[in-house]
Amino acid sequence: MKKRNLLLSVTTLLVFGCVVLFASSHFNQSGRYIPRKSFEKQNAQGITDALNYLQNLRVNKATGVVDPNDILKAQQQLIAMRQQKSGNTLGLTFIERGPDNVGGRTRAILVRKSNSNIVFAGAVGGGLWKSTTGGSSWTKVSYTSGSSVHLNNDNLAVSCITESANGDIYFGTGEGLAQNGGSGGDANGSSSIIGQGMWKSTDGGATFTQLPSTVPTAANSTSTPWVFINRVAADPSNNNRIYAATNKGLRMSDDGGLTWVNPIKLTATAYLQLPSSDVKVGSDGSVVAVVGAAIYLSNNGNADSYTKATNGLPASAKRIEVAIAPSDPGYIYASIAKSDGSLDGVYRSINKGLNWVVIGPGGSSSFELFGSNNQGWYDNVIAVYPNNKNKIIAGGVDMFGWEENESWIAKTLWNANSPGSNAVVPYYIHADQHAYVFDPNNPNIIYVGSDGGLNKSIDGGQTWRTINKNYNVTQFYTTASGAYSEVIGGTQDNGTLLIDGTGNTMLNARHVYGGDGSWACMSIINPKAVFASTYNASFGRSVDKGNTFAAFDKWTTATPPVANPAAGFIAPMVLWESFNNPYSKDSVTFTNTDSTNVIAAGSTITVRSRNGGYPFPYQTPVQIGTVTSPNKSIRVKDIVATKFFVGYTGAIYMTKGALDFTTTVPDWYKIATISGTPQYMAYTKDGDNLFVGTDEGSLYRISNLLQAEDSATADVGNTSTCVLTTKLIGTYNQAVTSISVDPLDGNKVLVTLGNYGSTSYVYYSTNALAATPIITSKQGNLPQMPVYSSCIVLNHGNQVILGTEMGVFATDNITANPVVWSEESDGIGNVPVFMIFQQTMNRDAMEVGGTIYPAVNNYGSIYFGTHGRGFFECRKFVGIKDIDSKESVSKPQLKIYPNPVKDNATIEYNLYSNSDVIVKVYSLNGTEVDEFNLGNKTSGNYTFNINTSSYRTGTYIVSINANNLSKSAKMMVTK
């Protein structure tokens, strides 16, 4: 039976999708990916805003480009650092925290010809991965540098992969197609991560080494060869012939990659070196290459044998992708994007490219391969079914299928529900698709690489399965943590992800907010309160740990809604909290609910804050009630305080009611007017000062926040009564990428900067609260590259950790002159680290009215949000002595061994004085699992055993309470 016509088949699906979209709110979705364009379709900018954001962080502000020579120079400086000093300063070790069920941008897929169960996938930020089970699970592939003057990099931007006739495997690096500057990528692509050439395996993918002939080297111009390899292809009958589509044209090797030539002549004496985006080889050795957004053809691929295809093709294009029918090399297809990125059309030739006809015209709202955002320059892909030369799939934002004498039909849909890993749905593949690969041994099996990772079909594309298990290549912009080791962050086109130990594995993530994820945070006062945002400061809050969200800003909640102020793509928002704010001017009512008892003056009562209902002790100054009327009320200062800050272009806003869920929209105050767009914000521990850094390079300090308690004192519009001061304390010709404040001393502030082309990226002040702070460069021996994130380590104020374009670096003495930095990337690799977050807020466990408030179990832990390898955690500083706490010296001490444990754990504890001892075991979400009342013990050391044989595999918190003080430690249970 024939398929329905194009308009009916596609429109029906779109109408259904629109019903789903408009019947539900963005703020009440859980566990579902909401694509960028479906969240705010009418205003969506597609991938452009995301790439512009990266450009602003990396581009040389003076020249407007990212010169690959600057990047190569930084890499060489890193090599020199390694040669001068072995080891690392702080000895940081990292634990991978996931997600193990969410992928990231994938452009390279290879299914082995000899074994369909062996599949390789390459991510543009996370390197090369391998599956031996047909994609059901993945492991990271390691590789070594073939050059003594180049990086041994474990996180390459893998862009393409192929298998030669004899089974050798080649993969290329550098994502030249992530920019809107031209087909194939100019070498100065501002948002593109350059590569390190090509890598080869001669043992079936067990080991890979770098091909020295493809190592990019510094040149006198920005046209550095081999920084972007967009496609690699192999001759089917010549073991040693390899083709590479690079930023300097098409290259060909006849000796397995030892040497290369440019095979396409421009003139009698010059060769075509425009960027090449694609190259494909037919079953007979014929070649179709795209160079400079034009198609070139050769019957045998030999040098000087290429002709330009023109008959029936458009005169110009932005990007062209081609596909050759495996069953007939005379059949060639091309998906062509216009100069504005929209679909020009899908073309076909049945005579090896001599003539072309349109089989899928552009310009239809129901046939938008590249979406309404016209991003055919970014996601453009086409493939031919191996067993049918007249049947293809093509797409970018969505996949469409076509067969001769039948109409185009949608194979995927941007608003289809996102499944969990390995769930099967008819239409869902993540938007922004880059690779369609058929199993060479089974034409019904198709793999897709997209911004969401990997999908697979086993029925020729009728249904799809997400196959991201352990494929952790997610690109995070931000990261934060909750009280119980949860980790949360915003991602590139994968929404905001929360990992809280409640999934099928401890590394499973939940999608809690859609679109491009931005800043996120979790409350310590109310551990179920979660805040998340998407691009341009569209944010919401959740009272049930991310299951549902509601807007609480003053604009979208207005009647009628008012447009939000302008904001950066990744706009900062931060939550300051305190369990004891002596400056609070807020109060709550305490009512004596016991109708039979009078509360005497001097009694200690428990009062609940309006901030999350958190309990705090209060000593009554007067008697509450009388014998005849005992249930009276008094007003009590609410010492549990929060302040929530959001940065908009030109202004900073604050609310004190972020945790007050009794009101839909709390009061908001404009606390500062600034110049530029905020990029980062950080506060002093006492909450009295907020530092703001902008994209344009300005550093501001907003002071006297503790006295800003209402509209009169906090809103700068009230010029005669506002108590706040805003001061510009630093200016740089680079984007301010992070600000770190010493948790124990607000005068000590570290500032990091982005943008290549500078000589300094780290600045430090020891008097940041002074009228005129002195801020000095602390570049030292750090390679000259963008630094994206930083952390002044809690209770170790001289120790600083940096997240950079090339991994993690640290110093144990930021006050030294010069500062000596060391690389600390073991376990993470040289991946961009966009945010570092240390848990600096602590609280002891307590039980009030039958409700258990577990202790913070990750005090001192540091979390790293990478742009390509997901989350990592460093626990080196967990359990560090809280030198601010007078009680810390009296706390019981706790050790657990073995750890991890299978069946029995030994708990060793030490008491400083006689006490009743209670040990409790909690899951990571705060649920009590076990309780042991050990009775009264005298001071000294003790041990006892816990049988964990019935425990579920995962991480638990063991908390010991003695003398009303507690100590917690993590226990990992394995089976």
Side-chain angles (χ1 to χ4, degrees), residues 318-374:
K318 170 69 84 173
R319 178 180 167 190
I320 301 175
E321 285 289 306
V322 294
I324 304 175
S327 59
D328 186 343
Y331 279 60
I332 308 172
Y333 295 82
S335 174
I336 302 180
K338 294 181 181 179
S339 58
D340 64 356
S342 64
L343 176 66
D344 179 292
V346 179
Y347 291 76
R348 180 172 77 155
S349 172
I350 60 174
N351 56 7
K352 276 200 173 180
L354 295 179
N355 304 96
W356 298 81
V357 296
V358 177
I359 60 172
S364 169
S365 60
S366 60
F367 182 54
E368 292 181 333
L369 295 190
F370 310 140
S372 59
N373 299 307
N374 299 337

Side-chain angles (χ1 to χ4, degrees), residues 13 29 211 247 273 280 332 401 406 469 495 509 518 559 749 757 964:
L13 291 172
Q29 303 301 306
L211 291 176
N247 61 292
Q273 297 196 54
K280 300 291 170 55
I332 308 172
E406 299 189 7
K469 184 178 180 181
S518 186
T559 305
V749 173
N964 295 318

Side-chain angles (χ1 to χ4, degrees), residues 31 33 101 416-425 428 455 464-466 511:
Y33 161 68
N101 61 329
N417 284 339
S418 167
S421 185
N422 292 321
V424 178
V425 293
Y428 176 77
N455 287 82
W464 299 94
R465 181 187 303 272
T466 301
H511 289 99

Side-chain angles (χ1 to χ4, degrees), residues 6-22 37 41 364-368 398 400 410 412-416 427:
L6 169 66
L7 183 61
L8 179 61
S9 59
V10 175
T11 304
T12 301
L13 291 172
L14 291 177
V15 169
F16 170 76
C18 291
V19 172
V20 174
L21 172 63
F22 292 109
K37 61 179 288 188
K41 186 179 180 183
S364 169
S365 60
S366 60
F367 182 54
E368 292 181 333
D398 281 317
F400 287 77
T412 67
L413 204 61
W414 55 261
N415 61 354
Y427 297 111

Side-chain angles (χ1 to χ4, degrees), residues 162-183:
T162 195
E163 183 177 6
S164 68
N166 65 353
D168 291 345
I169 300 173
Y170 299 79
F171 72 81
T173 63
E175 192 189 14
L177 299 173
Q179 54 184 301
N180 201 355
S183 177

Side-chain angles (χ1 to χ4, degrees), residues 372-387:
S372 59
N373 299 307
N374 299 337
Q375 50 191 55
W377 53 270
Y378 172 71
D379 42 24
N380 185 345
V381 58
I382 189 168
V384 188
Y385 279 77
N387 58 344

